[in-house]
Amino acid sequence: MALDNLFPGCISTRLTARVFEEEGVLQWREGKKQNFSLLQKESPIAAVPGDVKLDLRLFGVIPFKKVTLQVVPPVKVMAGGHSIGVLLTADGVMVVGYSHITLENGSKVCPAKEVDLLPGALILNVEGTAVHSDLHLSYLIDHLARKKEEIRLRVKYQEKTKEIKVKPQFCRETRRYRIGLLVRDGAAGVGTLTFYDSKTKKFGALGHIITNSGAPGAWDFKNGRIVPASVQSIQKGQPGKIGEKIGFFGEKGISGNITKNTQFGIFGELRYNLANPIFSKPLPVAMGHQVKEGPATILTVLKNEKIEAFQVSIQTVFSRPRSDGKALIIKVTDQKLISKTGGIIQGMSGSPIIQEGKLVGAVTHVLINDPTKGYGVLAEVMLEEAGLLSERKEGVSGGFSSVVSGNRI
């Protein structure tokens, strides 16, 4: 039971724990004890599930803190590595940026920016007519602007809904009325499945959030699903240039619904179980304190739908994961993978990281200046997000390969 990562090293090395209630949960390495250091070599082993109450003291004397630790039974899941297509549909049309309008006299304007219609906002309706797609929105603006000087938009931004009035301008280049926005009605891309539970069919993938392409926050989606994806080619990465998997979506194979889009990945339920040719049986999931620096393996697809294993090295394990989920720094050591991809590329996010027979995390981001290195998220926090692990009581470019561009309105 490693507890030293609960506090900074300068404190944990000086703390002594006294067990005052543990209900037979702990197994001691050298006979029955009550006091122990937080260092791994002296701490007891959690033998069965249950709660352990500890009294922490500095130098064994000064009261520091009382904590209750929950020991949960080992969780096992099926390893992923499968290539997946990710599809999200917005409830309305998402503003992802500005696109200035060129007037007949050559000057440029942006009416939407002038009325503070911000990236990240959802346009729900125009003059009371619900918006169904980016093309539908473009038609409504042009059609209504030919009848009236100013039009009303119903928009949602950061959970608040309001009405905005804007004056469309005739664009010399497109020959239609526009308001100066770049919008999308959905997001789509290629990523990698991290794990799934064969009993509940709950899954986790990507290991990072899907954002609004330059706008703050998560993609505010109405419907989301994963579908099969086949990798057809690789754009090799190099320092300063991120590589990418190039593929297409299939009709038969992986199928599931996305219910959550968080900083730790996307989560949902598969419609049916999948096979993994490399790990045919469920793997135990490592808790954060069990992950260590050293050799590991990642699973990903480089051609068609074939899952392959490649060697990496976990170079750093953060004592406290960052708020965006980054908890590991990994380096690709497999020369075959480096020769084909240059290292970590877009579409590889979600690739499971396996160490000593345990699922420890997932690949999330690549370091732009060194594509052989990247970040990883802990499997433990992904399982919590998926609802497969009880909540704990103690208490850079992403790798999503996008295949959808925006439309100008």
Side-chain angles (χ1 to χ4, degrees):
M1 183 173 63
L3 306 176
D4 55 304
N5 63 342
L6 291 178
F7 308 102
C10 61
I11 295 179
S12 62
T13 56
R14 294 170 171 80
L15 285 178
T16 297
R18 177 178 175 80
V19 179
F20 61 90
E21 187 177 334
E22 52 102 349
E23 302 174 350
V25 173
L26 302 181
Q27 176 182 325
W28 300 83
R29 287 179 169 85
E30 298 179 2
K32 182 65 176 177
K33 297 180 180 179
Q34 285 298 114
N35 298 327
F36 63 94
S37 165
L38 295 194
L39 299 178
Q40 170 71 19
K41 64 181 180 180
E42 298 182 24
S43 62
I45 297 172
V48 296
D51 290 344
V52 178
K53 296 183 179 181
L54 302 175
D55 181 10
L56 304 182
R57 292 176 177 260
L58 279 169
F59 309 107
V61 178
I62 305 172
F64 179 74
K65 189 175 185 180
K66 290 186 177 181
V67 298
T68 299
L69 299 178
Q70 182 183 43
V71 179
V72 297
V75 178
K76 293 185 178 182
V77 294
M78 292 296 295
H82 310 72
S83 185
I84 57 172
V86 181
L87 302 169
L88 297 179
T89 303
D91 186 12
V93 172
M94 180 74 69
V95 177
V96 296
Y98 298 114
S99 177
H100 285 74
I101 301 166
T102 303
L103 303 180
E104 292 288 8
N105 62 8
S107 62
K108 294 182 181 296
V109 297
C110 187
K113 190 173 184 179
E114 294 173 2
V115 296
D116 292 326
L117 184 48
L118 301 173
L122 275 171
I123 300 177
L124 304 176
N125 68 58
V126 181
E127 293 288 342
T129 300
V131 176
H132 303 299
S133 68
D134 53 357
L135 293 177
H136 185 219
L137 176 61
S138 178
Y139 166 77
L140 287 174
I141 290 174
D142 181 57
H143 177 71
L144 292 169
R146 296 176 186 275
K147 299 179 179 180
K148 55 195 310 183
E149 182 179 351
E150 190 175 69
I151 60 175
R152 295 177 292 114
L153 307 179
R154 194 71 179 171
V155 303
K156 179 181 178 182
Y157 183 74
Q158 295 183 346
E159 303 304 320
K160 295 181 180 180
T161 303
K162 64 179 180 179
E163 185 177 277
I164 291 179
K165 294 181 179 180
V166 62
K167 295 181 179 180
Q169 298 293 326
F170 188 77
C171 179
R172 185 179 71 182
E173 297 173 338
T174 62
R175 311 308 297 173
R176 56 183 169 85
Y177 282 90
R178 296 175 48 220
I179 60 175
L181 289 178
L182 187 65
V183 299
R184 293 198 307 186
D185 54 15
V190 174
T192 304
L193 185 74
T194 306
F195 65 83
Y196 75 90
D197 177 57
S198 57
K199 294 180 181 179
T200 64
K201 294 183 175 58
K202 293 181 177 180
F203 74 83
L206 292 191
H208 65 74
I209 197 169
I210 300 176
T211 60
N212 301 327
S213 295
W219 184 272
D220 190 0
F221 70 97
K222 176 176 64 175
N223 296 306
R225 59 194 178 101
I226 61 172
V227 297
S230 179
V231 179
Q232 297 304 297
S233 62
I234 298 290
Q235 286 186 355
K236 190 173 180 179
Q238 55 187 331
K241 183 179 180 181
I242 301 171
E244 184 177 9
K245 292 183 181 182
I246 307 298
F248 61 81
F249 298 165
E251 297 181 356
K252 296 182 179 180
I254 297 171
S255 179
N257 295 320
I258 301 171
T259 57
K260 295 177 70 176
N261 174 28
T262 79
Q263 66 264 41
F264 306 117
I266 58 171
F267 304 89
E269 292 185 10
L270 295 174
R271 293 186 179 177
Y272 47 83
N273 288 329
L274 306 171
N276 189 310
I278 299 177
F279 293 96
S280 59
K281 296 182 179 180
L283 295 178
V285 176
M287 297 297 100
H289 69 268
Q290 295 176 306
V291 185
K292 59 186 180 181
E293 297 175 2
T297 300
I298 65 170
L299 305 180
T300 200
V301 173
L302 298 184
K303 185 66 177 177
N304 297 327
E305 298 87 34
K306 182 182 178 181
I307 301 173
E308 297 183 75
F310 301 98
Q311 299 306 304
V312 299
S313 173
I314 299 177
Q315 294 197 320
T316 304
V317 181
F318 301 154
S319 59
R320 291 178 178 270
R322 293 166 31 163
S323 59
D324 59 5
K326 295 172 183 173
L328 312 170
I329 294 179
I330 64 173
K331 180 179 176 62
V332 176
T333 57
D334 196 303
Q335 291 304 310
K336 177 183 176 182
L337 183 59
I338 293 174
S339 66
K340 289 188 174 183
T341 67
I344 299 169
I345 58 176
Q346 289 185 344
M348 200 178 285
S349 61
S351 298
I353 305 171
I354 298 165
Q355 186 180 62
E356 297 182 349
K358 294 184 177 70
L359 176 66
V360 301
V363 177
T364 62
H365 296 76
V366 60
L367 298 182
I368 296 176
N369 292 329
D370 183 359
T372 65
K373 292 183 178 181
Y375 290 103
V377 61
L378 291 175
E380 177 184 2
V381 297
M382 291 188 71
L383 259 71
E384 287 180 357
E385 289 291 315
L388 294 172
L389 191 65
S390 300
E391 291 186 2
R392 293 169 288 184
K393 287 190 176 180
E394 175 63 27
V396 182
S397 172
F400 178 68
S401 181
S402 177
V403 295
V404 175
S405 58
N407 187 28
R408 294 187 298 169
I409 63 167

